[in-house]
Amino acid sequence: SIKCSNSSRPALIDHAHTLILFFGNCSSRWQNCDGNKFGNDVYNIEFLSEDKIKPSLFGAKYNFYLDGVVNCPEFLVHLPTLCKLALKYGLELVSFERFEDFYERFKGEGRSLLGNMQALETYPPYHESPLLGDPERDYHHAVEYMQNLPANHRKIGTLSQSEWEVTSLYAVFSFRKMKTIWNSEGKPEYIKL
C-alpha cells in the first residue's frame, strides 16, 4: 500500500517524493502471530500466503481492513528490491524511518496540519461525546500526558491506543530524482545530486 505526495516542504526533504507505506513491522507481526491474521478493534490484517519464512519479494498478498476507511487487498514490498528498481530509473533513496519516529520529529511542525485534517480526537471528549476507542483501555497515555500539563490545559488531541498501534505498521521514506545524462549509445545514466 503506497501513498505518495510530492513534498512542498523543502525543510523536510528537498526535491523529493515522500512515500508512506506499510513496511517491516507488518511482516514481523505476521511472522510472530499464530496463524495468518492479527489486529485489534480498529484494524485487521489477514495474509493469504502460507509462507511466513520466505514470502515473495513482491506479492505477499494480505487483506487490510481499517475501520470505516479501508477494506482491500494489499501486498508487502521488499525495500532493498524496491530501492534497486528505483535506482534503475534514477531514483535515489534519501531517507527511511518508522512512522512513529517521523511523527515524533515533526509533530510540533505538523500540529496545524493534524488539526486541519481532524486527525486527532479530543480527550477528554466534549459533552459526553463517545470516544473512538475503549475508554477503559485505550487512553492511559492521554491521562498520563495530561497529568504533566498546567491545570488550565483541560483537553488534548490524541489517538486511541488501538489507532496508535495502526500507525506503527507504517514507514516513511523518500526518493530523490537523480540528474540524468545520456551516454553515447543514447541510454540514460544517473548521477547523484
Side-chain angles (χ1 to χ4, degrees):
S1 169
I2 298 178
K3 300 168 176 42
C4 293
S5 69
N6 189 357
S7 177
S8 60
R9 307 276 322 250
L12 296 179
I13 299 163
D14 190 25
H15 304 295
H17 287 274
T18 302
L19 303 170
I20 301 176
L21 90 155
F22 273 125
F23 195 81
N25 213 7
C26 184
S27 179
S28 65
R29 286 189 192 180
W30 174 38
Q31 291 171 344
N32 293 323
C33 77
D34 292 330
N36 281 337
K37 189 173 184 177
F38 62 92
N40 61 31
D41 34 334
V42 174
Y43 82 99
N44 282 295
I45 293 177
E46 181 176 9
F47 278 86
L48 304 177
S49 171
E50 295 297 324
D51 191 355
K52 289 184 179 185
I53 307 301
K54 193 170 180 179
S56 170
L57 292 181
F58 288 94
K61 186 176 180 179
Y62 58 92
N63 288 323
F64 178 61
Y65 171 78
L66 181 60
D67 191 26
V69 181
V70 178
N71 188 5
C72 66
E74 297 184 351
F75 303 87
L76 285 181
V77 175
H78 183 249
L79 183 63
T81 304
L82 178 63
C83 291
K84 188 175 179 180
L85 286 171
L87 198 55
K88 181 178 176 181
Y89 293 97
L91 296 171
E92 167 190 23
L93 182 66
V94 176
S95 67
F96 175 87
E97 65 185 316
R98 293 170 56 123
F99 183 81
E100 61 258 41
D101 297 332
F102 179 83
Y103 173 80
E104 269 308 307
R105 285 191 316 115
F106 291 106
K107 68 182 176 186
E109 197 175 322
R111 190 174 311 276
S112 63
L113 176 60
L114 290 171
N116 291 342
M117 293 172 53
Q118 298 178 343
L120 305 176
E121 67 179 313
T122 302
Y123 184 86
Y126 288 105
H127 311 293
E128 304 302 319
S129 296
L131 290 166
L132 297 174
D134 181 329
E136 302 297 318
R137 184 186 73 221
D138 280 341
Y139 296 93
H140 295 289
H141 63 286
V143 171
E144 185 178 308
Y145 179 80
M146 290 182 70
Q147 289 172 349
N148 297 319
L149 294 176
N152 64 345
H153 199 98
R154 298 183 184 151
K155 305 275 185 198
I156 61 168
T158 190
L159 296 175
S160 69
Q161 192 60 45
S162 296
E163 291 169 311
W164 280 116
E165 185 180 326
V166 175
T167 68
S168 72
L169 298 171
Y170 288 91
V172 176
F173 62 98
S174 301
F175 287 97
R176 179 181 297 132
K177 181 70 175 164
M178 298 164 62
K179 182 178 180 181
T180 305
I181 60 171
W182 301 92
N183 67 20
S184 61
E185 297 171 4
K187 294 183 179 179
E189 294 180 0
Y190 303 104
I191 301 171
K192 292 183 181 187
L193 297 175

